[in-house]
Amino acid sequence: MKKLFLLLLLSLPLKLSAQFWLTREEKYFFVATGLDLRNAVFGGTVNPASYDGTFSGGYRNGGFGVIATYENFTGIRYESFGVCPAWVIRPGKMLIPVADLSLSFIKRPWKVYPSLAANGIIEYHFDRFFIYLRGEYRWRTDYDFFQASVYGGIAVKFGFP
């Protein structure tokens, strides 16, 4: 009897910590804004340190999501916009890894180019918002090379009742 009581007592923190890592929403819309941290701190391959902003909106339903993105970098006259199918690795948790594939276009003053990127995202969820850190590896078809970037930002969730 004492061993059973001890076992139940020891399993209680595991149960409480598992509930701590769970969130309520697995199906929601969100809007987000962020910036390219690498460009803001170190600069890029063709520019000094400057602001490169991102705006996005999306929908999540359990392990799948879709994100529409827009990026504006006025310092080098660069814009991109696209759609990203996303795979949520641990839906319903507070710390969520996400992988997505960005199917996008790069708009330069002289032409519009198709582009492709692979993204790895780590999100930390609160009740109605989350913060994120996103690593991106993009095929820059406007210059024909691959570029790595790191973005950070915040998103607001709009859940279902």
Side-chain angles (χ1 to χ4, degrees), residues 43-75:
T45 53
V46 294
N47 61 281
S50 57
Y51 175 76
D52 176 8
T54 63
F55 306 95
S56 58
Y59 170 72
R60 292 270 173 81
N61 188 354
F64 181 75
V66 65
I67 306 166
T69 64
Y70 174 73
E71 180 179 1
N72 186 7
F73 191 1
T74 56

Side-chain angles (χ1 to χ4, degrees), residues 74-102:
T74 56
I76 61 169
R77 297 171 27 187
Y78 171 96
E79 290 179 277
S80 72
F81 49 93
V83 175
C84 310
W87 294 269
V88 181
I89 310 302
R90 296 168 16 119
K93 306 288 186 188
M94 288 182 74
L95 188 64
I96 299 177
V98 178
D100 75 39
L101 187 62
S102 175

Side-chain angles (χ1 to χ4, degrees), residues 3 14 16 32 42-43 63 67 72 84 86 90 94 97 115 126 129 133 137 139 147 154-155:
K3 289 182 183 179
L14 293 174
L16 290 176
F42 303 110
I67 306 166
N72 186 7
C84 310
R90 296 168 16 119
M94 288 182 74
S115 184
F126 297 92
F129 70 98
L133 192 62
Y137 193 62
W139 180 24
Q147 181 175 3
I154 187 167

Side-chain angles (χ1 to χ4, degrees), residues 9-67:
L9 190 61
L10 289 175
S11 68
L12 183 63
L14 293 174
K15 184 171 177 69
L16 290 176
S17 70
Q19 288 176 348
F20 172 75
W21 289 99
L22 293 175
T23 61
R24 290 189 306 268
E25 300 87 15
E26 288 188 38
K27 186 183 344 179
Y28 53 87
F29 290 98
F30 65 90
V31 292
T33 186
L35 62 105
D36 184 331
L37 299 172
R38 185 183 62 89
N39 264 328
V41 176
F42 303 110
T45 53
V46 294
N47 61 281
S50 57
Y51 175 76
D52 176 8
T54 63
F55 306 95
S56 58
Y59 170 72
R60 292 270 173 81
N61 188 354
F64 181 75
V66 65
I67 306 166

